[in-house]
Amino acid sequence: RELGAVFARTNQSLAWTGAEFPAARVEALDRGLAKDLDDIDRLLKQQTALAVWDADSRARLEAIAKSYAPFRRAALDALDMKSSGLQTAAAFVQAVGDTYGALDAQIRALEQGLSGAAARRVEASVALTEQRSAAIAVAALAALLICATAGWWCVRLIVRPLRQARHAAAEVAL
């Protein structure tokens, strides 16, 4: 999103210059763009350095970072060339658009890769949960049977001597 906003604001800066907006507003926009371009560059470097990425995602991030350099350079050149004329800057707009398109495609590929990986992890987790749920149900059923058998055995151990005592008492009473 930030990359798309920078691309749009680069074009906005050129349009404002062509429409002869106040120079202070255009300069403020250009300073903000330069800062945002630096921030994106820093973010890409930080993300690429993180250990959380798998090999495929890291390779895609590195490709994005490599593709970002020409985009950044073309955007900054377009802003710099405005002072020498909008005709010259217009040539850089095409370069900015082309590099933006390549970056956008790479970012979408990264998103799809991450989304696919996340979906596979969710499916694996669901399958594992179903297996474990079945194992827990079997274990609970086995525990219930063991408890019922142990209860029956305990009742039998208590009731048998009582019956024998009652029977013995009944014989003595006769």
Side-chain angles (χ1 to χ4, degrees), residues 14-82:
L14 294 171
W16 281 9
T17 301
E20 297 180 1
F21 268 63
R25 286 185 71 187
V26 175
E27 287 172 11
L29 178 63
D30 291 352
R31 280 192 305 276
L33 280 169
K35 180 191 174 300
D36 290 346
L37 287 166
D38 289 342
D39 290 346
I40 292 171
D41 188 48
R42 189 171 24 265
L43 177 67
L44 283 171
K45 288 177 182 172
Q46 289 171 347
Q47 288 296 314
T48 303
L50 291 176
V52 299
W53 301 108
D54 60 20
D56 183 48
S57 297
R58 181 175 307 286
R60 287 183 178 169
L61 275 171
E62 289 169 355
I64 290 169
K66 286 179 185 175
S67 295
Y68 177 72
F71 171 78
R72 183 176 183 269
R73 189 172 37 257
L76 290 172
D77 287 346
L79 296 178
D80 288 342
M81 289 295 166
K82 286 189 312 181

Side-chain angles (χ1 to χ4, degrees), residues 5 8 13-14 36 45 48 54-55 70 83 85 89 93 102 113 117 120 127-128 133 138 140 147 169 174:
S13 175
L14 294 171
D36 290 346
K45 288 177 182 172
T48 303
D54 60 20
S83 60
V93 169
R120 286 188 297 277
L128 184 60
S133 294
V138 168
C147 288
L174 287 177

Side-chain angles (χ1 to χ4, degrees), residues 130-140:
E130 289 173 355
Q131 289 173 351
R132 288 188 177 164
S133 294
I136 289 171
V138 168

